[in-house]
Amino acid sequence: MKKTPLNAGISTRIIVFFIVFGILMSSIFVGTVILLEHLQSEESFDRILKTEYERFIEEYRHNASVPLPQTEYMKFYVGIDSVPEDKRKSVADLKPGYYETGIHGGVKGPGHFHVAIQPLPGTEEKVFMFFFPYFRGFDTLTLQHHSVVGFFILLLFIFPTSIFVAKRVTCPLRRLVTLVNNANPDNLPGGFSDSYHDDEVGALARALEKSMERTKAFLTREHQFTRDASHELRTPITAMKGAVELLQQLPACEEEKVDRLAKRMDRSVSEMESIIEALLWLSREGLSEVSSQMCEVAPIVEDIMRQYQEQYREKGNRTDMEAAGDLKIKAPPAVVRITISNLIRNAFQFTRDGEIRVHLSDTGVEITDTGTGIAPDDLDRVRQPAFRGKESQGFGFGLDIVSRLCDRFDWRLEIESTPGKGTTARLIFRT
């Protein structure tokens, strides 16, 4: 399944959370172990020194010539002069007590060791007892090393665990996202929220299901309206079209004025048919019906040009049409007609005693006029619904319908204009 940014973002955040949480807890654990080990070792070392000192003093009182305890980890010295020179400076000025050198202690000295300074009974000398915690069983770094190794082992466990938990946590959400992405507006799913637990994702699933139910009801009403409206609108238009045809057969149409009125009525009826057809296409969801329809663009453009040449002939515009190639596209002829008709009508409407050129290429149609043009501030707004220019005579829905049809059929509309010089509109088809 292809992950969406939402899924990837949530999974990543969960993984990062668990990793950071694991690192934090591991660090606290290791730090606590090392601290407890240090405190316990300090107490143990001082207790060892005190025990050895008391044992030595007890033996010394019975026998002043008792030898000083000397082991691999403990050295006894009587008098400061007997202390090795490298350690003498560190302990020469210390008062009786227990001390530690190195990074954890308060005494400066070479290496890390514990030292106890106690008086020798019956003399003015002091006993210096050095304890070196670097032998098997007392190495203070051993536990620290083990703790650090355990820390990294715990991290190796955290990574796969975090990924596993993230996938398990986001699995219901990914399943819900897949269901929504694959939902068909004509057949929206229902009853899917029952398969989710009573948690945040379940609440989201129930909200989506209710929203889809409302959408389904809305689409049903819209489809019913579209079907009924198309039927109700087509019926009077058909009647009007038949009446116009009968009118054109009457002897009165032999007069030029009556004939022009009859032709104008016929064009208006044809325009209404095209508009209704275009609006019906905009109300449909799928494009399955489009793929089987091939439309020749040139005849439609020629008919539109003849229509508007007749309608706007009093403006005295010069027209020119050039067709390069035989352009055919997969689209309903009514949709192509209403789209191009809006662009050509605008060219005729905003041009007086000028020139209108239409060029057909292998990819689209270009309409150029020498009319009033469009102001730069209005150029980005002409496609908005109900927007009307200063000289517009319509309701401002022409280019909005054209833009929506272009989005619907994956066409591209480009408009360039210079105020006072004219406008160029390019309609590029998906062939």
Side-chain angles (χ1 to χ4, degrees), residues 21-38:
F21 179 76
I23 292 175
L24 179 62
M25 296 304 296
S26 301
S27 301
I28 294 175
F29 170 76
V30 172
T32 303
V33 169
I34 293 176
L35 177 61
L36 293 176
E37 177 274 331
H38 174 68

Side-chain angles (χ1 to χ4, degrees), residues 3-4 21 197 297 326 364 417 421:
K3 286 187 176 182
T4 65
F21 179 76
H197 297 292
V297 179
D326 185 16
S417 185
K421 294 185 178 181

Side-chain angles (χ1 to χ4, degrees), residues 112-405:
H112 176 215
F113 56 87
H114 292 255
V115 60
I117 304 174
Q118 295 296 333
L120 184 63
T123 67
E124 296 181 356
E125 297 289 347
K126 296 178 182 179
V127 177
F128 296 86
M129 297 163 285
F130 291 87
F131 183 86
F132 304 94
Y134 297 108
F135 66 97
R136 183 177 179 85
F138 285 93
D139 189 352
T140 57
L141 297 180
T142 300
L143 186 57
Q144 298 178 11
H145 292 163
H146 291 171
S147 300
V148 173
V149 172
F151 171 76
F152 285 104
I153 293 176
L154 189 58
L155 285 184
L156 293 178
F157 171 76
I158 289 172
F159 276 100
T161 303
S162 301
I163 295 174
F164 173 76
V165 172
K167 289 184 177 181
R168 289 297 300 270
V169 170
T170 60
C171 181
L173 185 59
R174 291 199 304 270
R175 185 156 48 92
L176 183 60
V177 170
T178 302
L179 184 142
V180 174
N181 286 337
N182 296 333
N184 186 349
D186 291 332
N187 187 21
L188 293 174
F192 56 87
S193 63
D194 296 336
S195 62
Y196 291 88
H197 297 292
D198 190 15
D199 53 12
E200 291 80 0
V201 179
L204 176 61
R206 289 188 289 274
L208 284 174
E209 185 173 357
K210 290 182 180 179
S211 177
M212 287 185 178
E213 290 175 354
R214 292 193 294 269
T215 302
K216 187 185 298 184
F218 171 78
L219 290 175
T220 301
R221 293 194 300 269
E222 184 185 27
H223 290 163
Q224 291 174 347
F225 171 79
T226 302
R227 181 190 62 218
D228 297 340
S230 62
H231 174 75
E232 296 298 328
L233 290 174
R234 282 174 174 173
T235 299
I237 288 176
T238 302
M240 292 171 59
K241 191 171 184 179
V244 171
E245 290 177 355
L246 291 176
L247 178 63
Q248 290 176 330
Q249 296 176 7
L250 295 177
C253 279
E254 294 180 0
E255 297 182 13
E256 183 179 358
K257 290 184 178 180
V258 178
D259 183 58
R260 288 177 57 189
L261 290 174
K263 289 181 179 178
R264 186 171 182 179
M265 292 171 62
D266 186 51
R267 289 194 300 268
S268 297
V269 171
S270 298
E271 279 190 29
M272 291 177 65
E273 283 184 317
S274 299
I275 292 174
I276 292 173
E277 187 69 21
L279 293 176
L280 289 176
W281 274 104
L282 284 174
S283 67
R284 295 171 187 169
E285 176 65 24
L287 285 173
S288 57
E289 301 179 44
V290 177
S291 59
S292 60
Q293 301 187 46
M294 292 299 299
C295 174
E296 294 186 14
V297 179
I300 295 177
V301 175
E302 291 174 357
D303 186 60
I304 295 173
M305 288 293 289
R306 284 194 299 267
Q307 172 185 337
Y308 289 121
Q309 284 171 349
E310 175 67 22
Q311 183 175 344
Y312 293 97
R313 63 179 180 176
E314 71 277 0
K315 287 193 172 185
N317 292 321
R318 299 175 299 280
T319 60
D320 178 53
M321 176 178 169
E322 178 184 356
D326 185 16
L327 178 59
K328 296 181 180 180
I329 62 173
K330 292 182 178 181
V335 174
V336 177
R337 184 179 186 86
I338 190 63
T339 305
I340 299 177
S341 177
N342 269 284
L343 300 177
I344 294 180
R345 182 177 63 238
N346 286 342
F348 275 93
Q349 183 177 343
F350 294 101
T351 304
R352 176 176 291 276
D353 194 20
E355 185 176 3
I356 298 172
R357 297 190 305 274
V358 179
H359 176 75
L360 273 74
S361 65
D362 294 334
T363 57
V365 182
E366 181 178 278
I367 300 104
T368 303
D369 65 66
T370 58
T372 57
I374 305 173
D377 294 339
D378 295 339
L379 193 59
D380 295 333
R381 303 167 56 198
V382 292
R383 307 186 193 198
Q384 299 177 1
F387 175 78
R388 298 175 57 189
K390 294 181 180 180
E391 301 183 15
S392 176
Q393 300 175 0
F395 294 97
F397 290 97
L399 285 179
D400 172 55
I401 293 176
V402 171
S403 297
R404 290 167 60 193
L405 287 172

Side-chain angles (χ1 to χ4, degrees), residues 51-113:
T51 301
E52 290 294 328
Y53 169 75
E54 291 176 350
R55 185 177 62 82
F56 168 72
I57 294 301
E58 183 68 22
E59 293 181 359
Y60 179 80
R61 285 172 178 166
H62 291 85
N63 182 10
S65 61
V66 64
L68 296 174
Q70 303 290 342
T71 66
E72 61 177 334
Y73 60 89
M74 186 178 298
K75 304 293 183 182
F76 273 53
Y77 303 95
V78 176
I80 188 64
D81 294 334
S82 64
V83 176
E85 186 177 356
D86 60 337
K87 298 179 178 60
R88 190 181 304 165
K89 294 181 180 180
S90 302
V91 299
D93 299 328
L94 296 180
K95 297 180 179 180
Y98 297 88
Y99 304 92
E100 180 185 4
T101 65
I103 57 174
H104 300 299
V107 179
K108 294 182 180 181
H112 176 215
F113 56 87

